[in-house]
């Protein structure tokens, strides 16, 4: 019976009730060891099953400390009763088969396992029979299982599924399980009344008031401590006839109470408990075989069970409480621990070689190449299955057991590579540096340097990344052209975005890398052209850069390589090639999505949204940013939320929305997390947002101040119209002229209509001659009409209309003002829409009242669902694309129908959804 837990029980019951109502529900129960988390979960399951009368499906799993190196162990236990692989989309079914070791296959994207987990859980649930998933000891989940389960938890929406995680707080393990964004129930100690009820129930007779009061006070109401600490007291002390010890073992020391009990047991029982504590299978046969090998007989099992420290149920054996496991294992000598692991390895070898290998590694007391080789194989299999953190652990332990430096370097590099893939940047940097010190092979050193540079780009110094990439490319050029080209392109891209360490390839190496050969593959050809593009850009030879980029984009059409797609998109974005940037990033998103490469999807979406910004509609920008933001949060990567948050902040500023709150969140992120190469872009977009907000509020000097601070060339060119107008309105035409002159060579060299339009617009805004201004405005509008940049075109039309009205050409002004007004309304640019409306009214015409597009009412997810459904995809296919459940798709589709006023998929397909 639970005492004093009514609020917690009610919160958990409400969770299941929410699932019964058809809405996904998640709760993380946190508390110190022994506080009663497991008891709460047991009470929830028992009570809800009784109440539901069989109309509730329950799945259970738990983290096991010794299983942490085994990817997907806990997930397999949870999903095994309900997994029907034939019902899953083929890529998801294949992902689970590989993850669970049911088949061999190519390296697995962990993201796809999370999507498959979501599919299995939502498919197993039914409105008439909701699903309750209970995950205990979540702090000991293997990281691959934790990632998959947390992804699924965050993606639940219109699904009759409830998920409850329980984890420790107050120690390193508990702190490791702190999933951001999920609701938390903190479980504390019992109050005085409930604690005394528990004490009385345990002892049978009520304890004297002073004794009970002391126990409750010193344990903080921790139920486990209340039950265990009295076992160390004499009957006289319990009855109040003898004084209590000066210091009782407090909650943090309950482990010692267990240890004292263990030490009073016979030696064979202690050995049995040590074997059970070191075991990761929970199988009686395995523990018995290992224990027998260490001289344990059958009577020890009976004594262990009588001690209430070991529980045997059928063919399963469990140590009573995690604290018992910890106390027993830590109290053993290193020799005793190695003996236990060696015995378990022998017992497991015939049917579970990976676990056996881990036990042999734990039993090793020095370098052992045979064990190191076996553990290296375990690491490779874990990496292939997407268990990156497990692979990192195995590679690192294998390296520690390895004798030869060359093999140690390879294994340390493997550990660094997989630690980086698991999101452990600091650890990855350390491991990569250690591998670099030992590596002698030039190709391996180049691969290690590529990893080091990528870490710096994302969470460190982009300038350091430029130096590492450049030096590595120069060194490896004599050995592997493909590697050298890839890293030379990466270094050149860093340089274009402002990260220049001063390191150079040297003229001879650069000429060699730019010279085509008959042996070039399509990928190599594309990289050579891309390097030529970026080199020319760095030299500000814009004509050569534009020509080379066009060739590179053409060559890239036949290259299905995500890195190449990303580099092409980055170069196109830098050079203002709108179509090249959009097509490259879009291809990257679709290719990565099909492969389940979630991190690559986030990377591509973060850049696609800026390629979509000038070309519109802004609903697409918002959709890309929202998805990138959601995915970054779902994979627990706060650093990756900065760029989409910046884009949404800019949209809010341009649309007249809430900017201040978003700016506060962005500034907090920037202060707390390193953003690597995205530091400059995020800061620039933040400045642009502040400038747009100031302009909308009529603060021209403030707008100029913020917009003048932009430093990334691609972005301040993207904001050219806003910057030029801010300077003119702030009374600083000299600054506007300077920006025009800065842009002029780029415009004439690339020939981009939008850049030519910006130059002409700047000339029109700054010349004092009305005739010359009129001609420049007309040329600007003409260029923008060919540029497919509706926002910039509307800005030019608004400025032209204002100019014509001021010069008393009101009739001519109306044509441009009407066109601008229509575009601003379509985009949802409210501040500029209001300005255009006022100008049109001042010209003598009242703007027609337009019904705002119902598409603006759609959420980003609703718009995405609408667009996919309109192409003819089924709900199930859309769910696979969006990484949600079919029920969630149906929920969003119903909202879409209601908002846009259609009643069928056919009608939806006839709408222009952008």
């Amino acid at each position: 019976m639970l005492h004093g837990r009514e609020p917690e029980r009610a919160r958990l019951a409400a969770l299941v009730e929410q699932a019964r109502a058809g809405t996904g529900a998640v709760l993380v129960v946190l508390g110190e060891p022994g506080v009663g988390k497991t008891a709460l979960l047991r009470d929830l399951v028992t009570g809800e099953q009784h109440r539901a009368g069989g109309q509730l499906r329950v799945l259970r799993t738990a983290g096991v400390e010794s299983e942490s190196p085994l990817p997907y162990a806990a997930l397999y236990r949870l999903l095994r009763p309900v997994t029907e692989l034939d019902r899953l989309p083929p890529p998801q079914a294949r992902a689970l088969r590989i993850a669970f070791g049911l088949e061999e296959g190519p390296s697995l994207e962990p993201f796809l396992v999370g999507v498959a987990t979501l599919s299995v859980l939502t498919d197993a649930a039914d409105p008439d029979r909701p699903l309750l998933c209970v995950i205990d000891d979540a702090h000991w989940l293997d990281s691959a299982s934790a990632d998959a389960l947390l992804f699924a938890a965050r993606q639940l929406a219109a699904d009759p599924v409830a998920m409850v995680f329980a984890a420790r707080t107050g120690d390193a393990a508990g702190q490791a399980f702190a999933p951001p964004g999920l609701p938390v129930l903190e479980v504390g100690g019992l109050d005085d009344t409930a604690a005394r009820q528990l004490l009385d129930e345990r002892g049978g007779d009520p304890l004297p008031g002073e004794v009970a009061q002391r126990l409750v006070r010193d344990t903080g109401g921790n139920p486990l401590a209340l039950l265990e600490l009295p076992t160390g007291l004499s009957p006289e002390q319990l009855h109040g006839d003898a004084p209590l010890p000066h210091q009782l073992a407090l909650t943090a020391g309950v482990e010692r109470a267990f240890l004292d009990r263990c030490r009073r047991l016979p030696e064979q029982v202690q050995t049995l408990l040590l074997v059970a504590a070191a075991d990761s299978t929970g199988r009686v046969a395995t523990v018995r075989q290992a224990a027998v090998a260490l001289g344990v007989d059958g009577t020890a099992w009976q004594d262990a069970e009588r001690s209430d420290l070991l529980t045997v149920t059928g063919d399963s054996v469990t140590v009573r409480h995690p604290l018992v496991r910890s106390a027993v294992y830590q109290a053993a000598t290193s020799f005793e621990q190695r003996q236990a692991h060696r015995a378990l390895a022998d017992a497991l070898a015939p049917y579970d070689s990976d676990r056996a290998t881990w036990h042999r590694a734990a039993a090793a007391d020095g370098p052992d190449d045979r064990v190191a080789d076996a553990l290296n194989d375990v690491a490779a299999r874990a990496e292939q299955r997407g268990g990156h953190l497990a692979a990192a652990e195995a590679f690192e332990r294998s390296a520690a057991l390895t004798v030869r430096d060359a093999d140690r370097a390879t294994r340390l590099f493997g550990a660094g590579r997989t630690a980086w893939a698991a999101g452990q940047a600091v650890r990855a940097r350390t491991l990569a540096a250690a591998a670099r010190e030992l590596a002698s092979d030039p190709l391996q050193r180049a691969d290690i340097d590529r990893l080091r540079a990528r870490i710096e780009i994302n969470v460190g110094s982009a300038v350091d990344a430029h130096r590492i990439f450049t030096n590595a490319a120069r060194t490896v050029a004599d050995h592997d052209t493909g590697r050298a080209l890839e890293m030379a392109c990466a270094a050149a891209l860093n340089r274009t975005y402002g990260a220049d360490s001063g390191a150079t390839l040297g003229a001879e190496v650069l000429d060699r890398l730019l010279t085509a050969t008959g042996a070039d593959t399509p990928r190599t050809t594309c990289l050579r052209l891309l390097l030529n593009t970026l080199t020319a850009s760095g030299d500000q030879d814009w004509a050569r850069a534009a020509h080379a980029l066009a060739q590179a984009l053409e060559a890239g059409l036949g290259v299905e390589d995500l890195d190449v797609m990303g580099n092409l998109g980055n170069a196109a974005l830098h050079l203002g090639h709108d179509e090249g940037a959009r097509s490259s990033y879009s291809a990257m998103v679709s290719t990565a999505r099909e492969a389940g490469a979630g991190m690559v999807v986030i990377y591509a979406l973060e850049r696609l949204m800026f390629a979509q910004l000038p070309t519109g509609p802004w609903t697409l920008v918002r959709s890309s940013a929202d998805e990138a933001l959601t995915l970054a949060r779902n994979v627990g990567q706060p650093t990756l939320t900065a760029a989409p948050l910046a884009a949404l902040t800019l949209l809010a500023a341009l649309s007249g929305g809430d900017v201040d709150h978003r700016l506060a969140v962005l500034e907090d992120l920037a202060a707390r997390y390193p953003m690597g190469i995205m530091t400059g872009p995020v800061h620039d977009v933040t400045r642009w947002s502040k400038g747009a907000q100031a302009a909308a509020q009529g603060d021209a000097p403030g707008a100029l101040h913020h917009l003048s601070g932009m430093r990334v060339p691609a972005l301040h060119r993207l904001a050219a119209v806003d910057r030029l107008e801010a300077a003119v309105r702030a009374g600083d035409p000299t600054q506007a002229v300077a920006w025009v002159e800065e842009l002029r060579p780029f415009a004439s060299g690339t020939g981009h209509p939008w850049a030519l339009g910006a130059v002409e617009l700047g000339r029109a805004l700054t010349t004092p001659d009305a005739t010359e201004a009129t001609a420049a405005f007309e040329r600007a509008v003409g260029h923008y009409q060919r540029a497919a940049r509706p926002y910039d075109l509307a800005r030019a039309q608004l400025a032209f209309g204002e100019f014509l009205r001021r010069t008393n050409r009101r009739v001519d002004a109306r044509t441009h003002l009407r066109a601008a007004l229509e575009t601003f309304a379509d985009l949802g640019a409210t501040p500029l829409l209001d300005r255009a409306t006022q100008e049109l009214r001042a010209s003598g015409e009242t703007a027609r009242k337009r019904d705002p597009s119902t598409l603006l009412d759609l959420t980003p997810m609703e718009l995405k669902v609408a667009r996919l459904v309109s192409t003819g995809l089924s709900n199930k296919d859309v769910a696979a694309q969006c990484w949600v459940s079919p029920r969630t798709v149906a929920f969003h589709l119903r909202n879409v129908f209601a908002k846009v006023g259609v009643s069928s998929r056919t009608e939806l397909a006839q709408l222009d959804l952008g």
Side-chain angles (χ1 to χ4, degrees):
M1 177 181 177
L2 292 180
H3 297 282
R5 294 302 189 194
E6 286 73 19
E8 292 87 349
R9 295 175 71 191
R11 178 86 179 271
L12 288 165
L15 192 79
V16 178
E17 199 57 39
Q18 184 176 331
R20 284 197 178 93
T23 303
V26 185
L27 187 64
V28 179
V29 179
L30 296 178
E32 65 181 7
V35 81
K37 302 181 296 294
T38 299
L40 275 170
L41 298 188
R42 191 182 304 117
D43 175 78
L44 171 68
V45 171
T46 303
E48 291 298 329
Q49 284 182 321
H50 177 75
R51 188 168 70 136
Q55 297 306 304
L56 176 72
R57 172 174 269 173
V58 178
L59 299 178
R60 298 182 183 88
T61 194
V64 178
E65 186 177 14
S66 54
E67 275 189 347
S68 58
L70 303 171
Y72 303 112
L75 183 67
Y76 178 69
R77 283 196 298 276
L78 182 80
L79 298 187
R80 181 174 53 184
V82 294
T83 300
E84 297 182 40
L85 293 172
D86 293 341
R87 294 173 60 90
L88 296 176
Q92 296 179 27
R94 185 170 61 253
L96 282 188
R97 287 192 185 97
I98 295 172
F100 294 157
L102 302 177
E103 71 175 49
E104 297 294 323
S107 294
L108 179 64
E109 281 289 349
F111 217 82
L112 200 54
V113 180
V115 178
T117 299
L118 176 69
S119 295
V120 171
L121 295 179
T122 56
D123 191 55
D126 187 90
D128 295 327
R129 194 185 182 196
L131 178 68
L132 172 61
C133 298
V134 176
I135 301 100
D136 203 358
D137 289 331
H139 49 279
W140 280 328
L141 287 171
D142 63 274
S143 65
S145 292
D147 289 344
L149 289 167
L150 289 173
F151 176 86
R154 291 189 175 102
Q155 292 293 91
L156 290 174
D159 306 293
V161 179
M163 296 182 73
V164 184
F165 297 85
R168 281 189 189 183
T169 55
D171 59 10
Q175 292 165 5
F177 190 82
L182 295 182
V184 170
L185 171 63
E186 292 272 5
V187 180
L190 299 174
D191 61 28
D192 286 357
T193 301
R196 292 195 180 208
Q197 288 174 342
L198 181 63
L199 283 171
D200 292 345
E201 181 182 89
R202 181 194 183 283
D205 296 325
L207 295 176
E210 291 184 2
V211 174
Q213 183 178 3
R214 173 79 185 279
L215 287 170
V216 172
R217 185 189 68 207
D218 285 8
T219 62
N222 182 288
L224 182 64
L226 287 168
L227 293 174
E228 292 300 326
L229 294 187
T231 63
L233 301 177
S234 69
E236 291 78 14
Q237 288 173 323
L238 285 173
H239 294 145
D241 297 330
L244 294 176
H246 177 68
Q247 182 174 355
L248 293 173
L250 301 179
T251 301
V254 173
E255 193 169 358
R256 292 195 297 274
F258 281 121
L259 185 55
D260 288 340
R261 289 176 62 187
C262 295
R263 283 173 173 162
R264 292 197 294 268
L265 295 170
E267 184 176 342
Q268 284 196 17
V269 178
Q270 293 186 48
T271 301
L272 173 59
L273 287 171
L274 174 60
V275 172
D279 172 59
S280 61
T281 67
R283 295 180 55 197
V284 169
T286 302
V287 174
R288 175 172 284 117
Q289 184 176 339
V292 167
L294 296 175
V296 175
D297 59 30
T299 59
W301 283 84
Q302 298 174 22
D303 292 341
E305 288 188 73
R306 288 194 189 100
S307 73
D308 202 25
L309 296 178
L310 197 70
T311 302
V312 178
T313 307
D315 62 352
S316 298
V317 56
T318 56
V319 180
R320 181 194 166 192
H321 192 276
L323 290 176
V324 178
R325 179 188 294 270
S326 176
V328 169
Y329 191 84
Q330 296 302 325
T333 65
S334 59
F335 175 76
E336 291 169 335
Q337 291 172 355
R338 289 196 299 273
Q339 275 192 315
H341 284 295
R342 194 172 293 114
L344 284 165
D346 292 340
L348 287 164
Y351 64 89
D352 195 333
S353 61
D354 281 8
R355 275 192 171 93
T357 298
W358 269 110
H359 282 295
R360 292 199 193 285
D365 59 355
D368 187 324
D369 277 336
R370 184 177 62 84
V371 175
D373 290 346
L375 196 55
N376 185 69
D377 292 341
V378 171
R381 284 192 292 273
E383 183 178 13
Q384 184 181 41
R385 294 165 60 190
H388 294 306
L389 188 55
E393 298 284 353
F395 276 129
E396 187 172 8
R397 178 60 177 153
S398 174
L401 297 174
T402 299
V403 176
R404 294 180 63 250
D405 281 353
D407 290 337
R408 286 181 64 208
T410 298
R411 290 161 187 179
L412 284 169
F413 174 44
R417 179 181 65 243
T418 48
W420 173 243
Q424 295 190 334
V426 174
R427 181 184 182 191
R429 181 189 278 133
T430 301
L431 289 165
R436 183 68 163 73
E437 288 295 318
L438 295 172
S440 57
D441 178 74
L443 298 184
Q444 185 179 65
R445 288 170 73 94
D447 289 343
I448 295 170
D449 283 338
R450 177 170 51 194
L451 172 63
R452 292 172 60 225
R454 285 180 172 175
I455 294 170
E456 294 302 326
I457 282 176
N458 285 277
V459 297
S461 165
V463 173
D464 285 348
H466 175 268
R467 175 182 49 77
I468 294 170
F469 272 135
T470 303
N471 292 341
R474 185 175 61 246
T475 302
V476 83
D478 291 332
H479 306 278
D480 188 297
T481 301
R483 281 181 170 88
L485 277 169
E486 182 183 336
M487 285 188 281
C489 285
L493 273 170
N494 272 27
R495 183 184 173 203
T496 62
Y497 283 90
D500 188 352
S501 67
T504 63
L505 291 171
E508 187 273 331
V509 172
L510 180 61
D511 287 345
R512 201 163 12 121
L513 292 179
L514 291 176
T515 303
T517 71
D520 284 352
T521 64
R523 182 178 186 274
T524 304
T525 298
C526 181
L527 287 173
R528 288 193 200 279
L529 292 167
L530 184 59
L531 181 59
N532 189 20
T533 301
L534 297 169
T535 302
S537 172
D539 297 336
Q540 296 193 358
D541 185 346
W542 303 116
R544 178 180 139 214
H547 178 67
L549 176 62
Q551 292 179 306
L553 289 168
E554 180 68 25
L557 294 175
V559 180
E560 293 187 3
D561 183 297
L562 290 171
D563 284 339
V564 170
M565 293 175 190
N567 286 337
L568 284 172
N570 289 334
L573 192 63
H574 173 68
L575 288 171
H577 194 304
D578 294 339
E579 178 55 33
R582 278 200 318 273
S583 61
S584 296
Y585 292 134
S586 296
M588 194 177 186
V589 169
S590 60
T591 302
R593 197 188 300 281
E594 185 176 345
M599 299 299 288
V600 179
V601 170
I602 296 172
Y603 174 96
L605 285 171
E606 286 185 342
R607 288 149 180 83
L608 175 61
M609 60 196 184
F610 290 114
Q612 293 168 330
L613 181 65
T615 57
W618 287 350
T619 50
L620 295 184
V621 184
R622 190 171 286 107
S623 179
S624 296
D626 184 77
E627 183 179 5
L629 179 62
T630 300
L631 291 176
R633 285 172 172 166
N634 285 356
V635 297
Q637 294 290 336
T639 299
L640 298 182
T641 65
L645 273 172
L648 292 171
T649 302
L650 177 59
L651 285 181
L654 296 174
S655 304
D658 177 18
V659 178
D660 292 338
H661 173 69
R662 295 179 186 275
L663 284 173
V665 174
L666 260 178
E667 288 168 359
D668 179 63
L669 267 174
R672 292 169 58 195
Y673 300 102
M675 290 180 286
I677 195 65
M678 292 304 290
T679 300
V682 168
H683 287 167
D684 268 11
V685 177
T686 302
R687 295 180 183 108
W688 189 357
S689 302
K690 292 178 178 178
Q693 183 187 40
Q697 295 170 346
D699 179 9
L704 178 59
H705 168 73
H706 293 302
L707 292 167
S708 296
M710 297 180 71
R711 294 290 178 265
V712 179
L715 285 169
H716 67 63
R717 286 194 285 266
L718 203 60
V721 177
D722 284 11
R723 284 158 57 87
L724 290 170
E725 186 177 78
V728 171
R729 283 181 166 255
D732 191 354
T734 303
Q735 178 63 79
V737 169
W739 282 339
V740 168
E741 292 308 310
E742 179 185 322
L743 184 60
R744 191 186 304 280
F746 177 90
S748 59
T750 62
H752 291 323
W754 66 262
L756 295 169
V759 169
E760 293 297 342
L761 180 61
R763 179 181 297 168
L765 291 170
T766 55
T767 182
D769 185 279
T771 302
E772 185 180 338
T774 300
F777 270 125
E778 288 174 344
R779 289 192 297 271
V781 170
H783 286 309
Y784 278 127
Q785 285 173 333
R786 295 186 295 108
R789 285 193 173 191
Y791 175 73
D792 287 354
L793 171 60
R795 294 299 303 273
Q797 290 169 326
L798 174 59
F800 194 10
E802 290 172 331
F803 167 79
L804 291 171
R805 185 190 64 78
R806 287 195 307 270
T807 54
N808 294 318
R809 286 175 282 179
R810 295 186 177 187
V811 175
D812 293 337
R814 292 168 193 162
T815 301
H816 297 288
L817 292 173
R818 281 192 221 104
L821 187 148
E822 293 283 329
T823 300
F824 293 141
D826 289 340
L827 290 173
T830 301
L832 289 168
L833 175 62
D834 293 343
R835 183 173 139 193
T837 300
Q838 292 171 3
E839 281 292 329
L840 191 60
R841 186 181 300 117
S843 75
E845 179 178 314
T846 302
R848 291 183 298 106
K849 186 172 179 61
R850 297 175 78 249
D851 291 330
S853 171
T854 53
L855 296 183
L856 297 178
D857 294 331
L858 298 182
T859 67
M861 178 57 83
E862 288 168 354
L863 178 63
K864 185 175 182 182
V865 167
R867 293 177 67 210
L868 291 171
V869 168
S870 68
T871 65
L873 293 179
S874 67
N875 284 7
K876 188 173 182 179
D877 292 333
V878 174
Q881 285 275 319
C882 296
W883 296 335
V884 295
S885 72
R887 287 190 190 88
T888 298
V889 171
F891 171 78
H892 288 305
L893 191 57
R894 287 194 297 272
N895 289 341
V896 169
F897 283 0
K899 288 181 179 181
V900 303
V902 300
S903 58
S904 70
R905 291 170 181 257
T906 302
E907 291 180 66
L908 186 64
Q910 294 170 357
L911 298 179
D912 181 8
L913 297 171

